[in-house]
Amino acid sequence: MPASAPAAQASTAVAVANPWAVVPSLGNLDAYITAVNRLPLLTQEEEQQAARELRSSGSLEAAGRLVLSHLRLVVSVSRQYLGYGLPHGDLIQEGNVGLMKAVKRFDPDQGVRLVSYALHWIKAEIHEYILKNWRVVKLATTKAQRKLFFNLRSMKHELRAEDAQSDITPRDTLTQAQVLTVAEELKVKPEEVREMEARMAGGDVLLDPAPADDGDHAFGPISWLSDASHEPAAMIEAAQRDRLATEGIATALQSLDERSRRIVSERWLNVRDDGSGGMTLHELAAEYGVSAERIRQIEVAAMKKMRKALAEYA
């Protein structure tokens, strides 16, 4: 036996006694995958025991054993979704969330191994993550569209392989016959297949203009978006607001008596030389020899009368 065998056996013993010791706290993705593949698998009896312990007492240690022993399953499933261009680490992370949900809901008395039960939850979480992050605009909302989204890519690959074997030049897009084949197999309409294929083929487009150092002729699509400020309805509304702010206010002030007009003007329209605003209620009260509350009442009544005049002017 090689001299390193005892050390390897000791390492395996440590792994079985404390599986958490095998998973690195920090490191790259390859180190994580290597570590989880070294974690020991549970026998059916050990799995049943841990599951019953979790259900009866909520043991975190039992939950940890069940999760750790199936981390390699998440890694395996996540590899099936690398074609969507999302980080492998993020796919694994979402799959681990699904695995933990499966462990929490797993019933050992159903006679099913955890690996079969967890597979659904792992895929469900990864699917949800892909749909939310693969494109800014949602591609699939109904159950049929989700099924089409996750099967169209693989089915196109299979159809291209069949064309290559038949000495037919593979095409980037599906033929009409292939569209009908996919639609029939996935129980969707042919036009839905065409639409999903077009949406999946379209890349993300940057709306913002290119960086300034690319020259004066560097534009993004946002440069060609419509300018709402020059839309006819918006221009008419802006002109009406300007008229109300000038002619309308002047007309409304003329409907007030001299004292009310001066109070409103000094409070809201005139500005002090230092830019601190108009006169206060107390300053006006001292000038007219009344209380500040009386000045406030006059101001409220004047504002009400002005609003009515503005409504009639508009």
Side-chain angles (χ1 to χ4, degrees), residues 133-152:
N133 296 275
W134 191 62
R135 288 286 186 267
V136 175
V137 180
K138 290 185 178 180
L139 289 177
T141 53
T142 66
K143 184 177 181 180
Q145 288 176 335
R146 292 165 68 102
K147 183 178 180 181
L148 176 60
F149 177 81
F150 285 107
N151 286 277
L152 183 57

Side-chain angles (χ1 to χ4, degrees), residues 143-221:
K143 184 177 181 180
Q145 288 176 335
R146 292 165 68 102
K147 183 178 180 181
L148 176 60
F149 177 81
F150 285 107
N151 286 277
L152 183 57
R153 185 188 298 271
S154 60
M155 293 187 69
K156 285 183 65 174
H157 180 75
E158 294 173 0
L159 292 171
R160 287 176 183 174
E162 292 176 1
D163 288 345
Q165 293 176 358
S166 304
D167 295 331
I168 301 175
T169 303
R171 297 175 34 155
D172 292 334
T173 59
L174 295 175
T175 64
Q176 182 61 27
Q178 291 172 336
V179 169
L180 295 175
T181 300
V182 173
E184 182 179 357
E185 184 169 343
L186 298 180
K187 303 295 187 297
V188 295
K189 298 178 181 179
E191 52 268 27
E192 292 179 345
V193 177
R194 284 291 190 195
E195 181 184 1
M196 185 62 71
E197 182 186 23
R199 296 172 74 182
M200 292 178 67
D204 293 329
V205 178
L206 182 66
L207 284 179
D208 295 330
D213 56 6
D214 285 349
D216 295 336
H217 299 289
F219 295 98

Side-chain angles (χ1 to χ4, degrees), residues 246-298:
T246 55
E247 299 176 13
I249 294 295
T251 301
L253 284 172
Q254 292 300 320
S255 66
L256 303 178
D257 60 81
E258 184 178 352
R259 184 175 64 171
S260 298
R261 183 164 55 250
R262 183 169 185 276
I263 289 175
V264 171
S265 298
E266 293 295 341
R267 287 277 292 149
W268 301 103
L269 300 180
N270 297 336
V271 181
R272 299 175 193 264
D273 294 336
D274 59 2
S276 60
M279 297 178 66
T280 65
L281 293 175
H282 292 283
E283 289 174 339
L284 288 168
E287 181 177 331
Y288 284 101
V290 296
S291 65
E293 175 60 22
R294 178 56 185 157
I295 296 295
R296 188 193 68 79
Q297 292 173 356
I298 296 173

Side-chain angles (χ1 to χ4, degrees), residues 19-29 31-32 35-36:
W20 290 103
V22 182
V23 182
S25 57
L26 293 174
N28 58 28
L29 183 61
Y32 170 82
V36 299

